[in-house]
Amino acid sequence: MKLKRDIYWVSTLKRSSLLMAMLCLQSCSSISTYQKQDLVDQEFNDARQLIAKGQLDAGTQKLTALVQQYPDNVHYRNTLKMHQDLAVAQRIKSAEVLLKQGDLNQAESIFQSILITSPENQRALNGLKKSGDCPKT
C-alpha cells in the first residue's frame, strides 16, 4: 500500500514539476515577445525620424524592410505608401520646375524614372509628354 502511495506522489510531483517548467517557459517567451515588439516599434520610429529629417531614402528603406518583415501590419504598409507617394510627388514637382527652366533632358529623365515604378502616374505621363513637345536646347 505504501509503495502505491509513494508512486502516486512521485507521479504527481513529476506532473507538477513539468507544469511549472511549462509555465516558466511560457512566461519567458512572453517577455521576449514584448521586447521584440519594442525593438520593432523603435525601428518604425527611427524610420519616421529619418524621413522627418529629410533622409527620405534611408527612412523609406527601413519602412520597406518592416513591411516585408510584417506584411500584415496595416499601419506600417500605410505609412510606407504615404511616404512613397510623397516622394513621387516631390520628384514630379522638381521635374516640373526643371521643365519650366528649360532643362528638358533632366526633367524627362526624372519623369521616366517615376514611370518605371508607377507606370500609370498621370502627372509623370503628362510631364513626359510636355518635355517631348518642347524644343530641346
Side-chain angles (χ1 to χ4, degrees):
M1 188 68 148
K2 183 177 180 193
L3 181 60
K4 284 185 178 181
R5 190 175 53 210
D6 288 345
I7 292 173
Y8 170 79
W9 285 110
V10 168
S11 175
T12 303
L13 185 59
K14 284 182 181 179
R15 279 184 266 160
S16 296
S17 297
L18 181 60
L19 181 60
M20 289 299 289
M22 288 172 55
L23 289 172
C24 285
L25 286 174
Q26 184 179 4
S27 68
C28 290
S29 68
S30 297
I31 290 170
S32 67
T33 300
Y34 291 126
Q35 290 171 341
K36 183 178 179 183
Q37 186 59 45
D38 286 345
L39 290 174
V40 171
D41 289 343
Q42 184 58 48
E43 287 181 45
F44 178 70
N45 289 333
D46 290 348
R48 289 179 52 201
Q49 287 176 355
L50 285 169
I51 291 168
K53 292 177 183 175
Q55 298 175 0
L56 298 176
D57 290 339
T60 302
Q61 285 176 350
K62 275 188 174 267
L63 283 174
T64 302
L66 284 170
V67 168
Q68 289 172 348
Q69 193 172 359
Y70 304 99
D72 295 332
N73 189 312
V74 176
H75 185 62
Y76 293 169
R77 286 195 331 255
N78 288 342
T79 302
L80 175 62
K81 178 73 173 130
M82 180 182 68
H83 287 294
Q84 287 173 331
D85 290 347
L86 179 63
V88 168
Q90 289 174 339
R91 291 174 58 214
I92 287 174
K93 187 70 176 166
S94 68
E96 289 171 343
V97 168
L98 289 168
L99 197 59
K100 286 179 183 176
Q101 293 173 347
D103 192 347
L104 303 179
N105 290 333
Q106 187 64 27
E108 186 175 319
S109 174
I110 292 171
F111 288 132
Q112 287 175 342
S113 70
I114 292 168
L115 291 171
I116 290 170
T117 56
S118 304
E120 296 182 18
N121 186 301
Q122 197 58 51
R123 286 181 66 194
L125 288 168
N126 292 343
L128 191 59
K129 185 175 186 252
K130 285 179 186 175
S131 71
D133 291 342
C134 295
K136 299 199 178 197
T137 55

